[in-house]
Amino acid sequence: MAWRAALRSKAVIPGLLSCSSHGRLCASPTFITQRNNSTSPKIKVDYDQTTGVAVMHMQSPPVNSLGLDFLTELCISLEKLEMDKGCRGLIITSNQPKVFSAGLDILEMYGKSPEHCGEFWKVVQEMWLKLYGSNMVTIAAISGSSPAGGCLLSLTCDYRIMADNPRYTIGLNETQLGIVAPFWFKETMVNTVGHRNTEVALQLGLLYKPAEALKIGLVDQLVPEDQVFTVATQTMTKWLTIPEHARQITKSMMRNPTIDKLRTNREADIQNFVSFITKESIQKSLRMYMEMLKQRKA
Amino acid sequence: MAWRAALRSKAVIPGLLSCSSHGRLCASPTFITQRNNSTSPKIKVDYDQTTGVAVMHMQSPPVNSLGLDFLTELCISLEKLEMDKGCRGLIITSNQPKVFSAGLDILEMYGKSPEHCGEFWKVVQEMWLKLYGSNMVTIAAISGSSPAGGCLLSLTCDYRIMADNPRYTIGLNETQLGIVAPFWFKETMVNTVGHRNTEVALQLGLLYKPAEALKIGLVDQLVPEDQVFTVATQTMTKWLTIPEHARQITKSMMRNPTIDKLRTNREADIQNFVSFITKESIQKSLRMYMEMLKQRKA
Amino acid sequence: MAWRAALRSKAVIPGLLSCSSHGRLCASPTFITQRNNSTSPKIKVDYDQTTGVAVMHMQSPPVNSLGLDFLTELCISLEKLEMDKGCRGLIITSNQPKVFSAGLDILEMYGKSPEHCGEFWKVVQEMWLKLYGSNMVTIAAISGSSPAGGCLLSLTCDYRIMADNPRYTIGLNETQLGIVAPFWFKETMVNTVGHRNTEVALQLGLLYKPAEALKIGLVDQLVPEDQVFTVATQTMTKWLTIPEHARQITKSMMRNPTIDKLRTNREADIQNFVSFITKESIQKSLRMYMEMLKQRKA
């Protein structure tokens, strides 16, 4: 399959944001079907009431693009789990081969009205607010590449376990595409890898191989590819031994200052995004990027 | 002796807060005597006027619990030394075997009136304010395990030298007991090991072996057990070569933002602690913890 | 030559601030000439319009002291380059052997009027504001020792490449001389190497050998002495592939909070510096330091 070959060739791995119509680009009608079939869930949630652990399997082919529908579904699932007091842990992983999530769906920002872009950005914010501030223990089982929004998704979790495969990469590579990670992406990264690593990574839009990501602390642990989920489950068991209430208060204490900055500036952040992304020059950058992706597939 | 055996077995080392009545638990009347004998100083201060260096030997059996009397004595000693312009350096160490300090004394928070808990917390704050903001060069000679408040005590110092014995541990393990390190414990740790290490350490209530503590920067240097004090003295000599006034201003510049946050919120922080610690559920956690300690000794 | 011998002997390397009259001290009339010859530029700027990269060669013998004239010239050059939209990258390096820059010129602060000291400090601020906030990609090619203000200069850049020669050192060693790095020196260092490294480094006035500097992140890369400039040029090429506008916004997002703190407190910071540096005790420290430098040369 063209997409897998592209992934294998590493050519696509440095891709920043994903494009949910990749299927069309590589002429695979399957993808179009799945794209349009909004009744087919993009996320499969397995919740084991005996352990109190839920697993979110992202299953939106080809690359778990974070589009409006996907993120809306994610937020609704999160809200349900959060409100179930018995659900104490959440593992996020991917059912798609070679990719965790390729990030925000470019098609939600390209050639769209300001209203649409604003609506999309609001749900991106909502996903981050819900996950970064979750009362649950959250673990990312990063089974493949995780650029841009995919990296952000994993950074919201309490712990990151990545497949030790040098073909995969992870990072906030927005500048490579000519766009900018907003302040709350930046702060999430600073809270994880520090100011200086973030300064270089964001300016250059760096994508790290697993070993490099581990070195700077972008992920917490590398395991063989077939053990990512097993180790995530074992790690969850360990985290769940900690007294619940004390752990939650501690997590809030660490993360609320960052969360509050977005909460109190949410509307301004949306306006900022919309006015940036709808600029002609930025739209042109997005178009060029998508054409580059198309050519790589050809 | 039961206590030492317990320490040796590592079973007690993960203990968070100490309990000054351990002596009673292991039926050693000596401890009770020392506990009740308030005229016997819990801290021995040796001050060498020729070098300008004072040494505080914590000697409150069995584990240098930071109780109300202990901390009051500590604060009074600190104030005297701070006011003596000739005293430029302070080494804090322990005369108790295998332990630096086991942290805040649970008995000051268990089954006590809100007034007592508030009075206790005030002196915990006072200890931190005096040490973290001290004009003296302060060095922790960590000769044994140092959980919870013992870890905080060492974190207030300018430099931490720990005995390189894998049986010892150090860390802010409050969540393990179902309680929460307050924001100024958290900020002291963030200032030392960074945001991400703190986030994981505090959520899981991690206790680190010396090698791990060195790796994340929780301590600055490991030395063989019998050289901790000697190396602390040598290090002090080096620090005292730095022009006094410039070093003090620099230290203030680094630490005052954190200190000011507590100073301006001291009363609210006390109210916060009292309302938390006197909750029935938290009192129950403390009781369970003490019973666990008792069983480990049996 | 006495100066080079001194540098070689390492005795002068721990020097904090430089003294532009070293030439006189070691009886080299050349230096005096260059000092007084204000028409001879202290900085040679090579700007290649085809690559969009400018190179600033600091060439103020003997040690590129950052005096009033030097910094004024630096700021004027920076302003010109910044306004030229074609100039996208700046490499800062030294034409003087064994030294990048020895830092602020003591003679601008010793025995001078408060007005002069204030005027001097204003241009130090200006240099920092212009460089730390530059829209250009800035790379420091650190070809020799870089204490105090020399270290600050390199810290303002986006990337630091240092000659891997253990005779060279780098660091903010102000306290060694009895003076204090101001808050914006401190914040620049915290943003680079984190809070704890900065706390120790600034209190002790540490100067790091290249390998140590790399370890804590004070520099980004070590290369053989004769390849510093070549590697800087190659690195620049890489940075310039990143979409300009996105990189600039990202850089601003990382650095503006720190820049704004000085911008909004500039006058108070000047007053603070002037009242400190003109104190009798501080002037005495500066005199003693210069005498020590003189004796080392003798």
Side-chain angles (χ1 to χ4, degrees):
Chain A
M1 187 163 72
W3 170 253
R4 291 194 188 169
L7 261 178
R8 218 174 289 125
S9 76
K10 206 196 152 193
V12 170
I13 297 184
L16 143 87
L17 300 167
S18 62
C19 168
S20 61
S21 70
H22 282 169
R24 263 171 273 174
L25 299 179
C26 59
S28 162
T30 319
F31 295 161
I32 298 173
T33 309
Q34 296 205 336
R35 165 79 178 162
N36 294 337
N37 182 354
S38 66
T39 59
S40 158
K42 295 173 189 307
I43 299 165
K44 179 161 76 78
V45 180
D46 291 334
Y47 172 34
D48 181 341
Q49 289 188 315
T50 61
T51 60
V53 177
V55 181
M56 280 191 172
H57 302 270
M58 298 186 285
Q59 51 179 16
S60 180
V63 290
N64 292 325
S65 290
L66 307 176
L68 186 54
D69 292 349
F70 184 101
L71 289 170
T72 303
E73 197 178 315
L74 181 70
C75 287
I76 291 171
S77 293
L78 276 173
E79 196 150 325
K80 280 186 198 162
L81 295 173
E82 201 76 58
M83 283 170 58
D84 182 334
K85 290 305 163 201
C87 183
R88 301 168 57 220
L90 171 65
I91 296 173
I92 302 178
T93 194
S94 163
N95 274 356
Q96 300 310 115
K98 297 187 184 359
V99 69
F100 179 69
S101 161
L104 304 185
D105 189 341
I106 297 181
L107 292 184
E108 305 285 10
M109 329 184 214
Y110 177 70
K112 290 288 188 297
S113 69
E115 290 69 30
H116 183 88
C117 292
E119 189 191 1
F120 174 59
W121 198 246
K122 195 171 180 180
V123 75
V124 178
Q125 291 178 337
E126 192 64 31
M127 175 270 286
W128 180 83
L129 287 167
K130 279 193 157 52
L131 275 174
Y132 201 56
S134 173
N135 268 325
M136 297 180 279
V137 173
T138 52
I139 295 180
I142 309 168
S143 46
S145 282
S146 196
C151 177
L152 179 76
L153 179 61
S154 72
L155 283 175
T156 62
C157 292
D158 291 312
Y159 200 77
R160 281 160 289 288
I161 297 160
M162 189 171 186
D164 192 8
N165 182 335
R167 287 181 180 160
Y168 301 154
T169 60
I170 184 168
L172 294 176
N173 57 329
E174 278 78 356
T175 52
Q176 291 271 4
L177 178 61
I179 63 173
V180 178
F183 79 89
W184 38 288
F185 282 49
K186 181 260 290 181
E187 299 224 350
T188 309
M189 192 170 191
V190 168
N191 289 348
T192 311
V193 301
H195 191 280
R196 175 62 185 158
N197 281 322
T198 302
E199 188 176 75
V200 176
L202 291 192
Q203 279 204 67
L204 294 177
L206 292 181
L207 287 171
Y208 296 87
K209 293 186 180 189
E212 301 159 342
L214 180 68
K215 201 176 165 191
I216 67 162
L218 193 59
V219 299
D220 297 299
Q221 196 176 345
L222 302 183
V223 299
E225 196 151 358
D226 59 353
Q227 294 170 30
V228 172
F229 187 70
T230 311
V231 174
T233 306
Q234 290 162 350
T235 305
M236 182 59 80
T237 304
K238 183 179 143 200
W239 279 68
L240 291 182
T241 61
I242 307 298
E244 187 88 344
H245 190 55
R247 191 195 53 73
Q248 288 169 350
I249 297 175
T250 301
K251 182 172 176 176
S252 298
M253 183 172 61
M254 296 303 301
R255 299 190 167 189
N256 274 359
T258 304
I259 289 172
D260 289 345
K261 279 192 209 164
L262 179 58
R263 244 188 240 295
T264 57
N265 285 289
R266 212 167 155 178
E267 198 47 50
D269 183 63
I270 292 174
Q271 291 311 319
N272 197 38
F273 171 75
V274 171
S275 75
F276 179 81
I277 207 73
T278 54
K279 271 183 192 153
E280 203 170 327
S281 60
I282 303 303
Q283 287 288 310
K284 190 180 155 199
S285 290
L286 294 177
R287 188 172 63 249
M288 284 167 59
Y289 183 77
M290 287 189 294
E291 280 167 7
M292 183 198 70
L293 282 185
K294 199 191 298 190
Q295 283 173 359
R296 281 184 177 169
K297 282 170 192 296
Chain B
M1 189 163 72
W3 170 253
R4 291 192 188 171
L7 261 177
R8 219 174 288 128
S9 75
K10 207 198 152 192
V12 170
I13 297 184
L16 143 88
L17 300 166
S18 63
C19 167
S20 62
S21 69
H22 284 169
R24 261 173 276 174
L25 298 179
C26 59
S28 162
T30 318
F31 295 162
I32 297 174
T33 308
Q34 296 205 335
R35 166 79 178 162
N36 295 338
N37 183 355
S38 66
T39 58
S40 157
K42 295 173 188 310
I43 300 165
K44 180 160 75 82
V45 180
D46 290 334
Y47 173 34
D48 182 341
Q49 288 188 317
T50 61
T51 59
V53 177
V55 181
M56 280 191 173
H57 302 270
M58 298 186 284
Q59 52 179 14
S60 180
V63 291
N64 292 325
S65 289
L66 306 177
L68 186 54
D69 291 350
F70 184 101
L71 290 170
T72 304
E73 197 179 315
L74 182 69
C75 288
I76 292 171
S77 293
L78 276 173
E79 196 151 325
K80 279 185 197 162
L81 296 172
E82 202 75 58
M83 283 170 58
D84 183 334
K85 290 305 164 199
C87 183
R88 300 168 58 220
L90 171 65
I91 296 172
I92 302 179
T93 194
S94 163
N95 274 355
Q96 301 310 116
K98 298 186 182 4
V99 69
F100 179 69
S101 162
L104 304 185
D105 189 340
I106 296 181
L107 292 184
E108 303 286 9
M109 328 182 214
Y110 178 69
K112 290 289 188 294
S113 69
E115 290 70 30
H116 183 88
C117 292
E119 189 191 1
F120 174 60
W121 199 245
K122 196 172 180 180
V123 74
V124 177
Q125 292 178 335
E126 193 64 31
M127 176 271 286
W128 181 83
L129 287 167
K130 280 193 156 49
L131 275 174
Y132 201 56
S134 173
N135 269 325
M136 297 180 280
V137 173
T138 52
I139 294 179
I142 309 168
S143 48
S145 282
S146 196
C151 176
L152 179 76
L153 180 60
S154 71
L155 285 175
T156 63
C157 291
D158 291 311
Y159 200 78
R160 282 161 288 289
I161 296 160
M162 189 171 185
D164 192 8
N165 182 334
R167 286 181 181 160
Y168 301 154
T169 60
I170 184 168
L172 293 178
N173 58 329
E174 277 78 356
T175 52
Q176 291 272 3
L177 178 60
I179 63 174
V180 178
F183 78 89
W184 37 289
F185 282 49
K186 181 260 289 182
E187 298 224 349
T188 309
M189 192 171 192
V190 168
N191 288 348
T192 311
V193 301
H195 191 279
R196 175 61 185 160
N197 281 322
T198 302
E199 189 176 75
V200 176
L202 290 191
Q203 279 204 67
L204 295 177
L206 292 181
L207 287 171
Y208 297 86
K209 293 187 180 189
E212 301 160 342
L214 180 68
K215 200 175 167 193
I216 66 162
L218 193 60
V219 300
D220 297 299
Q221 195 177 347
L222 302 184
V223 299
E225 195 151 359
D226 58 353
Q227 294 172 30
V228 172
F229 187 71
T230 310
V231 173
T233 306
Q234 291 162 351
T235 305
M236 181 60 79
T237 304
K238 183 179 144 200
W239 280 67
L240 291 182
T241 61
I242 307 298
E244 187 87 344
H245 190 55
R247 190 194 53 72
Q248 287 169 350
I249 296 175
T250 302
K251 182 172 176 177
S252 298
M253 183 173 61
M254 297 302 301
R255 298 191 168 189
N256 275 358
T258 304
I259 289 172
D260 288 345
K261 279 192 209 164
L262 180 58
R263 244 189 241 295
T264 57
N265 285 289
R266 211 168 156 178
E267 198 47 49
D269 183 64
I270 292 174
Q271 291 311 319
N272 198 36
F273 170 75
V274 171
S275 76
F276 178 81
I277 206 72
T278 55
K279 271 183 193 153
E280 202 169 329
S281 59
I282 303 303
Q283 287 288 310
K284 189 179 156 198
S285 290
L286 295 177
R287 188 171 63 247
M288 283 167 60
Y289 183 76
M290 287 190 294
E291 279 167 8
M292 183 199 68
L293 282 184
K294 199 192 299 190
Q295 283 174 359
R296 280 184 178 169
K297 282 170 192 294
Chain C
M1 187 164 71
W3 170 252
R4 291 193 189 171
L7 262 177
R8 219 174 287 127
S9 74
K10 208 198 153 191
V12 170
I13 297 185
L16 143 88
L17 300 166
S18 62
C19 167
S20 60
S21 70
H22 283 169
R24 262 171 275 175
L25 299 180
C26 60
S28 162
T30 319
F31 296 162
I32 298 173
T33 309
Q34 297 204 335
R35 165 78 178 164
N36 294 337
N37 183 355
S38 66
T39 59
S40 157
K42 295 174 188 307
I43 299 165
K44 180 161 76 78
V45 180
D46 291 335
Y47 173 35
D48 182 340
Q49 289 188 315
T50 61
T51 60
V53 177
V55 181
M56 280 191 172
H57 302 270
M58 298 185 285
Q59 53 178 14
S60 180
V63 291
N64 291 326
S65 290
L66 307 176
L68 187 54
D69 292 349
F70 184 101
L71 290 171
T72 304
E73 197 178 315
L74 182 70
C75 288
I76 291 170
S77 294
L78 276 174
E79 196 151 324
K80 280 185 197 160
L81 296 173
E82 202 75 58
M83 283 170 57
D84 183 334
K85 290 304 163 200
C87 183
R88 301 168 57 222
L90 171 64
I91 295 172
I92 303 178
T93 193
S94 163
N95 275 355
Q96 300 310 116
K98 298 187 182 2
V99 70
F100 179 71
S101 162
L104 304 184
D105 189 341
I106 296 180
L107 292 183
E108 304 285 10
M109 328 183 213
Y110 177 70
K112 291 287 187 296
S113 69
E115 290 70 29
H116 183 87
C117 292
E119 190 192 359
F120 174 59
W121 199 245
K122 196 172 181 178
V123 76
V124 177
Q125 292 178 336
E126 193 64 31
M127 175 270 287
W128 181 84
L129 287 168
K130 279 192 157 49
L131 275 174
Y132 202 56
S134 174
N135 268 326
M136 297 180 280
V137 173
T138 52
I139 294 180
I142 309 168
S143 47
S145 282
S146 196
C151 176
L152 179 76
L153 180 61
S154 72
L155 284 176
T156 63
C157 292
D158 291 313
Y159 200 77
R160 282 161 287 288
I161 297 160
M162 188 171 186
D164 192 7
N165 182 334
R167 285 181 182 160
Y168 300 154
T169 59
I170 184 168
L172 294 177
N173 58 328
E174 278 77 356
T175 52
Q176 291 271 3
L177 178 59
I179 64 173
V180 177
F183 79 89
W184 38 288
F185 282 48
K186 181 260 289 182
E187 299 223 350
T188 310
M189 192 170 192
V190 168
N191 288 349
T192 311
V193 300
H195 191 280
R196 175 61 185 160
N197 282 322
T198 302
E199 188 176 75
V200 175
L202 290 191
Q203 279 204 68
L204 294 177
L206 293 181
L207 287 171
Y208 296 87
K209 294 186 178 188
E212 300 160 342
L214 180 68
K215 201 175 165 192
I216 67 162
L218 193 58
V219 299
D220 297 298
Q221 196 176 347
L222 302 183
V223 299
E225 196 151 359
D226 59 353
Q227 294 171 30
V228 172
F229 187 71
T230 310
V231 173
T233 306
Q234 291 163 350
T235 304
M236 181 61 80
T237 304
K238 183 179 143 200
W239 280 67
L240 291 181
T241 61
I242 308 298
E244 188 87 344
H245 189 55
R247 191 196 52 73
Q248 287 169 350
I249 296 176
T250 302
K251 182 173 176 177
S252 299
M253 183 172 61
M254 296 303 300
R255 298 189 169 189
N256 275 358
T258 304
I259 288 171
D260 289 345
K261 279 192 209 164
L262 180 58
R263 244 189 240 296
T264 57
N265 285 290
R266 213 168 154 177
E267 198 47 50
D269 182 64
I270 293 173
Q271 291 311 319
N272 197 37
F273 171 74
V274 171
S275 76
F276 178 81
I277 207 73
T278 55
K279 271 183 193 152
E280 203 170 327
S281 59
I282 303 303
Q283 287 289 309
K284 191 180 154 197
S285 290
L286 295 177
R287 189 172 62 248
M288 283 168 59
Y289 183 76
M290 287 188 295
E291 279 167 7
M292 184 198 68
L293 282 185
K294 200 193 299 190
Q295 284 174 359
R296 281 182 178 168
K297 280 170 194 295

